[in-house]
Amino acid sequence: MTTYHFPRGFLWGTATASHQVEGNNTNNNWYRWEQDGKTKHHSGLACDWWGGRWREDMDRAVETGQNAHRFSIEWSRIQPEPDRWDEDALEKYRAMARGMVERGITPMVTLHHFTDPFWLYERCGWEKEETVALFEKYVRKVVEALKEYVNLWTTINEPNIYSLSGYVSGDFPACNKGLAVAVRVLANLLRGHAAAYHVIHQIQPEARVGYALHYRPMVPANSWSPLDRLMRNIQYSGVNLAFPTGISTGVIRTPLGKISIPQARGTQDFLGLNYYSVDTVKFDLTKAKEMFGKRFYPADSDFSATKFIANIPEGLYQSIEWIAKTYPDLPILITENGVEDPADAMRPRYLAQHLHQAWRAVNYGFPVKGYFHWSLVDNFEWERGWTQRFGLWGLEVETQARIRRPSVDFYAAICKENGISRAMVEQYAPEVLEKIFPNVTP
Ligand code: BGC
């Protein structure tokens, strides 16, 4: 076989998030976090989508064969103050969604991607259960405005990362800290997700609603070590399982006890998978804050530019397999996958190898329906600022110039073919040709 094809109707796109691309986002908790010097750089103008450059970037997406795009709505723009809705901002998002539809791009909207309005943050946001009702109101407002163009919704992006990075590791803004607060936040996010799921279906019965899970497969550093295995299991369930279990059973299980959220049961029409890499876990007495489990990549890994990611494509297959076994028949969308790589030295092989694994999963019968690469253009990487470049296109922050990396053409060829061929891999990622198309004599 010289081409691995994907099923007809497969969604091929990229993913972005409001604060990372819009620019001039000055009314949310991340803006304050940046002003307080907690990030490497400021988001500034970002990719200037709020200034209108989403249009040229969508033109780029469509010209290079993409048929879908996942983007997020900035709550602080829609509701700048607790008692004020900004209709102009809503109109701008309507224009964005319409612009995508007009270009033949299926829009997928994320309603919450890490940022909170500043007024909400001042009230300690998701630490309080009252935020659930506020989120529901905001969701209602957005869905009413966008329903004409959008029926694919991600409620919350990576609730596990939001809660761990803010309330445990302290990389993200958080009012109070500690494991107990993190658990409370996660429970409220699940309540918020459930409320959003129900309200979206009320307004738009045909909608498809899910959330995006950052799923990290984990392996013990030494499989013979009971302590490494124990640490692996603790970390694995802490990072990966609380939210998904909450959705399948209506109960969140945490080291601090169970929390019952029955309204969350079954609230997903698909699972959004954000997959980047696999962690190795080792028992480490010095890591009290991480409950004595050190997470790392082995020294001989295929590392990305800043060693943020180890290229472990089999982990994508394992993640999909885990989802399919946990939720039989539930459609799966790969809502994020990518690598930081300014020189585009690893991205082509990362892309080729991960899509090969996605293809294997599809061929095994797992219901993978789409792939959204992170990201379209370099964008603001949270606490890491502009030090990491995830875009197919590069961005010169000062001039707003876009730089076409070779991966643009590679991904375009894949999207247009609805598959990945031997010739493409030979051209763009020859170093992994034998791994992807083994034993094929030309
Ligand atoms: C987040 C993105 C982020 C990406 C790369 C994901 O966890 O959803 O916002 O840019 O990782 O770091």
Side-chain angles (χ1 to χ4, degrees):
M1 198 186 303
T2 55
T3 303
Y4 298 140
H5 280 113
F6 285 75
R8 205 173 306 146
F10 199 80
L11 295 179
W12 289 107
T14 46
T16 55
S18 56
H19 192 75
Q20 297 181 265
V21 294
E22 286 178 355
N24 282 329
N25 236 326
T26 56
N27 199 18
N28 66 24
N29 54 346
W30 269 90
Y31 178 73
R32 296 301 168 106
W33 196 240
E34 292 168 28
Q35 301 305 305
D36 290 347
K38 306 285 190 173
T39 56
K40 286 252 162 74
H41 306 103
H42 290 183
S43 51
L45 207 55
C47 306
D48 194 25
W49 275 27
W50 203 246
R53 284 186 209 262
W54 64 268
R55 290 190 182 82
E56 53 168 281
D57 284 337
M58 279 305 119
D59 289 344
R60 289 185 176 93
V62 77
E63 278 159 20
T64 51
Q66 298 175 34
N67 61 19
H69 184 72
R70 173 177 173 234
F71 70 110
S72 85
I73 308 287
E74 181 60 41
W75 186 354
S76 63
R77 290 203 193 270
I78 305 296
Q79 195 175 7
E81 291 156 52
D83 51 4
R84 188 162 69 84
W85 300 100
D86 186 334
E87 298 297 331
D88 292 343
L90 269 172
E91 195 42 53
K92 239 170 151 159
Y93 283 118
R94 272 171 61 80
M96 247 184 233
R98 183 167 55 241
M100 291 180 201
V101 172
E102 283 168 359
R103 286 169 176 79
I105 299 251
T106 299
M108 177 186 211
V109 165
T110 306
L111 292 155
H112 185 277
H113 195 125
F114 293 165
T115 52
D116 293 306
F118 193 68
W119 57 264
L120 186 71
Y121 180 63
E122 281 184 314
R123 302 175 179 184
C124 292
W126 291 97
E127 290 179 39
K128 305 231 174 99
E129 200 170 331
E130 67 197 34
T131 297
V132 175
L134 297 169
F135 183 62
E136 185 181 341
K137 262 196 191 161
Y138 150 75
V139 170
R140 185 180 291 281
K141 194 83 184 165
V142 174
V143 176
E144 288 290 1
L146 297 188
K147 64 177 183 216
E148 197 179 336
Y149 308 112
V150 179
N151 73 354
L152 193 52
W153 303 92
T154 308
T155 55
I156 294 172
N157 181 69
E158 301 188 345
N160 51 349
I161 300 300
Y162 177 93
S163 131
L164 290 170
S165 301
Y167 300 88
V168 179
S169 74
D171 291 326
F172 286 14
C175 208
N176 295 294
K177 278 176 69 177
L179 192 59
V181 196
V183 166
R184 204 182 323 135
V185 166
L186 198 77
N188 285 333
L189 288 169
L190 184 61
R191 293 185 181 101
H193 159 82
Y197 179 90
H198 294 300
V199 88
I200 298 171
H201 275 290
Q202 217 179 66
I203 299 171
Q204 206 185 30
E206 77 286 5
R208 286 171 295 154
V209 187
Y211 71 103
L213 173 68
H214 186 113
Y215 181 81
R216 289 190 86 86
M218 293 187 198
V219 291
N222 298 297
S223 52
W224 46 261
S225 158
L227 277 175
D228 287 0
R229 287 204 307 271
L230 176 70
M231 286 308 129
R232 180 267 172 203
N233 292 347
I234 292 175
Q235 296 269 337
Y236 176 83
S237 49
V239 172
N240 292 310
L241 299 187
F243 217 80
T245 310
I247 292 194
S248 35
T249 62
V251 178
I252 287 193
R253 280 160 232 275
T254 78
L256 307 178
K258 292 183 190 173
I259 305 168
S260 175
I261 306 176
Q263 70 275 26
R265 228 177 126 177
T267 50
Q268 62 185 359
D269 307 319
F270 64 86
L271 193 101
L273 166 65
N274 291 0
Y275 173 80
Y276 287 91
S277 197
V278 175
D279 286 330
T280 298
V281 187
K282 190 173 173 43
F283 173 71
D284 185 337
L285 263 177
T286 65
K287 297 276 170 191
K289 247 173 75 186
E290 286 102 85
M291 292 182 295
F292 305 107
K294 176 183 166 193
R295 288 204 268 141
F296 65 102
Y297 299 132
D300 61 351
S301 300
D302 182 13
F303 282 112
S304 61
T306 63
K307 299 204 167 178
F308 187 62
I309 287 166
N311 176 24
I312 309 178
E314 305 74 28
L316 176 61
Y317 183 90
Q318 290 154 10
S319 306
I320 295 168
E321 188 178 38
W322 172 80
I323 298 169
K325 289 193 170 150
T326 311
Y327 303 109
D329 301 326
L330 186 72
I332 299 167
L333 288 167
I334 300 167
T335 35
E336 283 183 34
N337 173 245
V339 66
E340 97 286 5
D341 184 14
D344 215 37
M346 176 195 269
R347 189 174 290 101
R349 75 171 169 277
Y350 185 95
L351 194 52
Q353 291 183 281
H354 284 78
L355 287 176
H356 177 222
Q357 296 297 326
W359 175 85
R360 280 187 58 221
V362 169
N363 272 271
Y364 194 79
F366 297 141
V368 182
K369 306 293 183 192
Y371 175 87
F372 294 79
H373 190 76
W374 187 275
S375 181
L376 181 57
V377 181
D378 287 344
N379 57 46
F380 180 71
E381 273 298 325
W382 307 113
E383 76 280 13
R384 288 153 274 130
W386 295 102
T387 60
Q388 295 187 338
R389 304 301 181 121
F390 276 83
L392 292 172
W393 269 270
L395 175 75
E396 232 176 64
V397 181
E398 302 73 25
T399 62
Q400 283 296 318
R402 271 66 173 156
I403 303 136
R404 194 182 180 109
R405 296 192 169 117
S407 287
V408 168
D409 298 299
F410 185 22
Y411 193 49
I414 294 166
C415 298
K416 287 177 184 167
E417 179 65 34
N418 194 26
I420 179 162
S421 72
R422 184 181 168 85
M424 292 174 201
V425 177
E426 205 161 13
Q427 181 176 354
Y428 293 101
E431 70 277 23
V432 291
L433 184 65
E434 278 310 309
K435 285 191 176 150
I436 299 179
F437 290 97
N439 305 322
V440 179
T441 33

